[in-house]
Amino acid sequence: MKLPRQFYQPLAIGAPAPLRELPVRLERMIHFVPPHLEKITAKVPELIRQVDVVLGNLEDAIPADAKTAARNGFIAMAKATDFGATGLWTRINALNSPWALDDITEIIASIGNKLDVMMLPKVEGGWDIHYLDQLLAQLEARHAINKPILIHAILETAQGVNNVEAIAAASPRMHGISLGPADLAASRGMKTTRVGGGHPDYVVLADAVANAEAAREKFQQDLWHYTTAKMVDACAAAGIKPFYGPFGDFSDPAACEAQFRNAFLMGCAGAWSLHPSQIAIAKRVFSPDPGEVAIAQKILAAMPDGSGAVMIDGKMQDDATWKQAKVVIDLARLVAAKDPDMAARYAL
Ligand code: GLV
Ligand code: MG
């Protein structure tokens, strides 16, 4: 095990010091852009006003013969745009692919000082993070990058799920982890053909009633509950951020919203938006509900030092509900600082 003092040493002479705390940023949606398509990258200046994070996708969904064009398109887009407070991320190709090394080296060399986060797919264990951590430190030193580039892992293999705690704690560069339900389904041998969401056959049946003619009620279950919970605990314990990943059925915004909301309630900070219609869904879901914010404010106001117990509207509040209220209010303040409409609705 690496000792704490060494954990926070730069991994290359001349690389910036690793961060001890993550930057506090609102990241309700990570919006995916295919950077080889100029008609889409042309809209990025408009997009950055609507989203919290823009991600140039170089991995899956980019055809093999467009990988270089996507990398070059991402670099050109990053150079040409002032992202202001909007995060700039990229999803590179997997470490065992023919493209990963050029993705990493060319991006850091050309736009390393603009990039906030590098998303790494198909992470199997801490060793994948250690490799990228070391390489990024060498490249940061070579190219005089002044702040550490953070790593975001995708949890999308059975082995990755087994090792999620080690992945979350592998490096001070770890920003967070996203659940990748499509690759994970394949890796686990799940019998589905979808990108995220539920399945009509994954159900429990209501008990049979003797001699009853009526069809038994079916209750659809959440295929992603176990993995989301495991990921949230690993991330929270390591002080990094968990995210739900993609929802592929663009024609079903209600199901997308339900999936996002489950993730939000369980502790996730945001989700991916793959289609412009999912931006508003993520914004709505990952900004706390004004009714909840009002209750949280009441709790904080009733317990100014966070100790003791009070009754509010018949419900007991104590130190633990005070802490929950603080989570909601801290997030609401972050949203309010960015969005004057929400600030007015929160009355903060
Ligand atoms: C995302 O990359 C996924 O595989 O779901
Ligand atoms: Mg994937």
Side-chain angles (χ1 to χ4, degrees):
M1 186 194 93
K2 211 176 234 194
L3 296 172
R5 206 188 309 279
Q6 287 166 339
F7 191 73
Y8 287 106
Q9 293 293 325
L11 292 181
I13 297 166
L19 300 180
R20 280 171 186 263
E21 297 290 341
L22 280 186
V24 178
R25 294 185 83 155
L26 191 60
E27 292 164 333
R28 295 166 295 183
M29 76 297 293
I30 302 163
H31 188 73
F32 272 53
V33 170
H36 59 303
L37 301 179
E38 260 176 55
K39 71 173 199 314
I40 296 193
T41 55
K43 292 193 189 138
V44 164
E46 200 181 309
L47 182 71
I48 55 182
R49 290 196 291 276
Q50 300 159 36
V51 301
D52 297 333
V53 173
V54 172
L55 176 145
N57 179 29
L58 311 184
E59 201 226 8
D60 291 359
I62 307 298
D65 62 3
K67 292 287 187 187
T68 308
R71 185 192 306 133
N72 293 340
F74 174 67
I75 290 170
M77 169 189 119
K79 280 189 176 161
T81 314
D82 177 359
F83 288 86
T86 303
L88 176 64
W89 297 22
T90 184
R91 176 169 80 164
I92 61 167
N93 287 286
L95 291 177
N96 64 358
S97 74
W99 308 290
L101 188 60
D102 291 339
D103 289 346
I104 301 163
T105 53
E106 291 183 23
I107 287 170
I108 304 306
S110 49
I111 52 132
N113 269 321
K114 277 192 145 177
L115 188 72
D116 294 301
V117 176
M118 189 170 270
M119 182 183 275
L120 183 63
K122 321 276 195 287
V123 175
E124 303 262 35
W127 54 87
D128 289 326
I129 306 299
H130 296 152
Y131 168 80
L132 184 57
D133 194 10
Q134 181 68 66
L135 182 54
L136 284 174
Q138 291 171 327
L139 293 168
E140 285 168 348
R142 169 166 295 174
H143 300 292
I145 307 302
N146 49 36
K147 68 170 173 39
I149 287 144
L150 300 179
I151 300 174
H152 185 102
I154 311 181
L155 192 62
E156 54 181 352
T157 67
Q159 198 181 6
V161 175
N162 269 352
N163 290 323
V164 66
E165 291 168 26
I167 294 168
S171 160
R173 261 187 220 283
M174 282 303 293
H175 161 279
I177 300 181
S178 286
L179 171 64
D183 270 298
L184 184 55
S187 168
R188 282 177 169 161
M190 288 167 66
K191 308 303 179 291
T192 53
T193 51
R194 326 175 146 210
V195 178
H199 192 287
D201 294 339
Y202 191 69
V203 297
V204 290
L205 282 189
D207 283 1
V209 178
N211 307 322
E213 296 283 307
R216 288 160 66 184
E217 258 193 295
K218 275 185 184 178
F219 303 96
Q220 202 170 318
Q221 306 290 294
D222 182 358
L223 282 166
W224 305 108
H225 176 79
Y226 155 76
T227 319
T228 306
K230 190 166 165 144
M231 175 184 74
V232 167
D233 282 343
C235 288
I240 67 171
K241 296 167 78 171
F243 290 75
Y244 176 77
F247 189 90
D249 186 351
F250 304 152
S251 69
D252 194 349
C256 176
E257 182 152 349
Q259 182 79 65
F260 283 8
R261 185 157 285 110
N262 288 349
F264 172 71
L265 287 168
M266 284 188 73
C268 289
W272 301 1
S273 48
L274 300 186
H275 187 272
S277 63
Q278 295 180 335
I279 296 172
I281 300 174
K283 200 175 277 192
R284 181 161 64 245
V285 170
F286 291 96
S287 305
D289 175 72
E292 284 288 308
V293 173
I295 294 169
Q297 270 182 304
K298 260 193 188 177
I299 296 171
L300 295 191
M303 299 171 62
D305 72 355
S307 74
V310 296
M311 295 297 291
I312 299 179
D313 303 330
K315 298 188 184 77
M316 188 211 65
Q317 313 293 339
D318 66 359
D319 304 46
T321 52
W322 186 93
K323 287 180 200 150
Q324 292 175 50
K326 179 94 171 40
V327 169
V328 173
I329 293 291
D330 286 350
L331 179 57
R333 286 195 200 289
L334 213 52
V335 172
K338 181 159 185 175
D339 182 337
D341 290 345
M342 288 309 283
R345 294 183 65 198
Y346 291 151
L348 284 171

